Amino acid sequence: MLILNQRQKDLLAWVNREGYVAVEKMAAHFQVTHQTIRRDITLLADNQLLQRYHGGASVLSSVENVAYDARQVLMAEEKRRIARAVAAEIPDNASVFINLGTTTEEVARALSQHRGLRVITNNFHIANLMCDYPDCEVLVAGGALRKRDRGLTGEATVQFIRQFKVDYGIIGISCIEADGVLRDYDYREVLTSQAIMQQSRQVWLVADHSKFERPALVELGHVSQLDALFTDQPVSAELQAVLDKGQTRLVVAG
């Protein structure tokens, strides 16, 4: 299980924010040796959290997401706070879509005390977790099963989702750009998320602060299509203005 110290967390956030940071600059900022920074970069690169270059580190490619095992532990406490905030607003006896992602999986865990839920998901991890909850019905979409994260995607998944209209659609994301554009890496997953958004009366996005302005290839939509954004830190003034214009509620989990 990957455990990052505070310097490594801060280093990763810095690289994600700036795109590329030199070893020399990081060593000066953190007041450690170049060798220490290189070891940090190697650890993060080996776990597919950033790209290592001679003299520095950069964000990951826009076509490849962080490995699932690494995402499970990255920003884990932040994801749990977000999940608790979401669960506090979902009433008993609600119908809920929950899509792929480690943050949405935390939401599923936070719903363990709810009663009368009807949950529709394309995430096998969530289905396995929630099927043991008392008084909770779980419907699992069909489709092609991805080995790396046990997610179901494809046309069969989209067709299944389109049969329902639910109270809440809980979706994760890989990238939120400053202008409010939402992006992800896999176009099949994007099509599934778009279907969930279309078939939900309330669309709630869950995303920790590391997702802001990361590179990702495929456009999913815009924050103006959301009813609420749940995150763990205040957003930039630019994005806040976009949220206000689109009347998208921001919830910063404490």
Side-chain angles (χ1 to χ4, degrees):
M1 181 176 179
L2 178 64
I3 300 176
L4 302 181
N5 62 38
Q6 191 59 51
R7 183 187 63 251
Q8 291 160 349
K9 291 179 180 178
D10 292 344
L11 187 156
L12 180 61
W14 189 6
V15 171
N16 280 331
R17 185 172 62 250
E18 299 293 332
Y20 175 88
V21 183
V23 167
E24 184 174 352
K25 190 174 182 180
M26 286 186 274
H29 175 80
F30 293 112
Q31 298 183 326
V32 296
T33 65
H34 289 197
Q35 289 78 9
T36 297
I37 292 298
R38 290 192 184 101
R39 285 195 294 270
D40 288 345
I41 291 173
T42 296
L43 172 69
L44 296 168
D46 287 348
N47 284 277
Q48 299 181 44
L49 298 175
L50 49 68
Q51 287 184 306
R52 180 177 58 240
Y53 289 96
H54 179 70
S58 78
V59 293
L60 288 171
S61 164
S62 65
V63 299
E64 184 178 8
N65 200 359
V66 176
Y68 176 77
D69 290 345
R71 284 188 284 126
Q72 282 186 299
V73 297
L74 185 64
M75 304 291 175
E77 178 53 36
E78 291 86 345
K79 292 172 182 177
R80 283 190 284 269
R81 294 206 310 268
I82 292 167
R84 289 194 293 267
V86 171
E89 295 199 20
I90 294 180
D92 289 342
N93 303 305
S95 56
V96 187
F97 279 130
I98 309 180
N99 80 339
L100 305 181
T102 53
T103 310
T104 55
E105 288 172 21
E106 288 298 335
V107 173
R109 291 185 179 91
L111 291 170
S112 62
Q113 300 304 309
H114 281 59
R115 294 293 181 268
L117 293 182
R118 177 166 292 184
V119 176
I120 304 165
T121 186
N122 61 323
N123 185 327
F124 260 25
H125 292 295
I126 288 174
N128 286 333
L129 179 69
M130 300 192 77
C131 70
D132 291 327
Y133 291 177
D135 196 22
C136 178
E137 181 180 7
V138 180
L139 304 178
V140 183
L145 183 64
R146 298 195 313 204
K147 292 182 179 180
R148 67 179 184 269
D149 62 0
R150 300 300 187 264
L152 290 151
T153 61
E155 183 59 33
T157 312
V158 171
Q159 289 179 358
F160 182 85
I161 288 168
R162 285 179 176 159
Q163 297 178 76
F164 304 93
K165 191 75 173 181
V166 304
D167 299 323
Y168 303 95
I170 312 299
I171 63 171
I173 196 70
S174 294
C175 165
I176 305 173
E177 296 184 337
D179 61 359
V181 173
L182 308 175
R183 293 188 182 276
D184 222 311
Y185 294 93
D186 187 330
Y187 78 92
R188 302 172 195 84
E189 184 175 347
V190 163
L191 292 174
T192 303
S193 297
Q194 289 172 338
I196 289 174
M197 292 169 69
Q198 292 164 3
Q199 301 303 119
S200 301
R201 297 182 179 90
Q202 286 274 317
V203 180
W204 293 356
L205 177 66
V206 293
D208 67 74
H209 68 272
S210 70
K211 305 300 176 64
F212 294 101
E213 300 187 57
R214 287 178 64 195
L217 182 65
V218 188
E219 184 171 337
L220 186 154
H222 192 268
V223 293
S224 59
Q225 298 171 263
L226 309 173
D227 294 285
L229 166 61
F230 289 76
T231 188
D232 63 295
Q233 290 186 8
V235 301
S236 68
E238 181 180 0
L239 182 56
Q240 183 64 65
V242 174
L243 293 171
D244 292 343
K245 182 178 180 180
Q247 297 184 317
T248 299
R249 182 166 59 99
L250 176 67
V251 179
V252 180

